[in-house]
Amino acid sequence: MGNPQRALLYLVAALKEGSNWGPPLLEASRLYRQLGNTVAELESLELLVEALSVTPSSEVPHLLIEVELLLPRPDPASPLHCGTQSQVKHLLASRCLQKGRAEDAAEHYLDLLALLLDGSEPKKFSPPPCPPGPCMPEVFLEAAAALIQAGRAQDALTVCEELLSRTSSLLPKMPWLWEDARKGTKESPHCPPWVSATYLLQGQAWVQLGAQKEAISEFSRCLELLFQATPKDKEQGPASNCEQGCSSNVALQQLRAAALISRGLEWVASGQDAKALQDFLLSVQVCPGNRDASFHLLQTLRRLNRRDEATALWRRLEAQTKLPQENATWSLPLYLETCLSWIHPPDCETLLEEFQTSLPEPCDL
């Protein structure tokens, strides 16, 4: 009814009176998110994780008939379903990462991986209320991205190595899997995006550690796998939570652009602008809608003194900035959004203005 403040009052009352704290706490976190109160939202999720981790004591007296016993168990898609401890832990970790709380996100993701890998939680889970949710490789990738964001590159490499050890056994089969997918005899395998994304994150970890050669090697391995993938946009089986609203083609385009831009930036850092130019040109071709690729290309053309090409690109970018911005109809996996944020050029508008001032004044006839 559009009145979250009143809803919160009822939830507080429910918490005071009820014996089951899960649904009110989860709904409170959603309402705080709607109100933009991030601190309260995360505190609600932390309390919910704690509540779900408590094992009921047999010594505590129970009512003969509790309200919860009179009602059917809520459907997993219902707002009353608060899920398992791992589901809520993932929701808490991902929200911390989205809100820039990288240190907290890293710790929550490490706790989540420990919880999932000790065998007490299912290996495939969905954060409520969005089934079927992310599977284990995606949780590993989000955890690695959070660790890099928190400045813990070495820990991120450890997480990536663990994921590769669990998925790389499929790699020798990849050429046949992709050939079957192209012929339509089998579904496109999901392993290559996971493995290539792992190489991308390893490359970013090496960048943070200052190991340029290793970073370029990982970005190249990522690209080698990515350019084997030719998925179709049509739905093939249930999508994971991070793929909902995002076609496999869009995700792969952005993943390729991220790897090309990342490698190009390393070429720039080593003073090899000609190689960087090749990567930035290719990134614009494989992902035309990625403005970051165009801005990096503009800077490189300018450094190489290729003025005519730089001017033509600048005019296209200027024209695009004057067009009304359309809201994207798709979303990207959280780990990929995080990677793209690392390669975003700073202050694009200032770059366009600086380039405009460097252009020669038109001659009056």
Side-chain angles (χ1 to χ4, degrees), residues 58-70:
S58 58
E59 299 177 359
V60 178
H62 292 281
L63 296 175
L64 292 178
I65 299 178
E66 295 186 354
V67 176
E68 290 80 2
L69 299 178
L70 300 176

Side-chain angles (χ1 to χ4, degrees), residues 84 86-87 116 121-127 132-139 190 194 238-241:
T84 65
S86 64
Q87 291 171 332
L116 290 170
E121 289 277 347
K123 295 296 184 291
K124 188 170 183 177
F125 65 99
S126 57
C135 48
M136 282 294 290
E138 292 160 352
V139 177
H190 290 285
W194 292 337
S240 67
N241 184 57

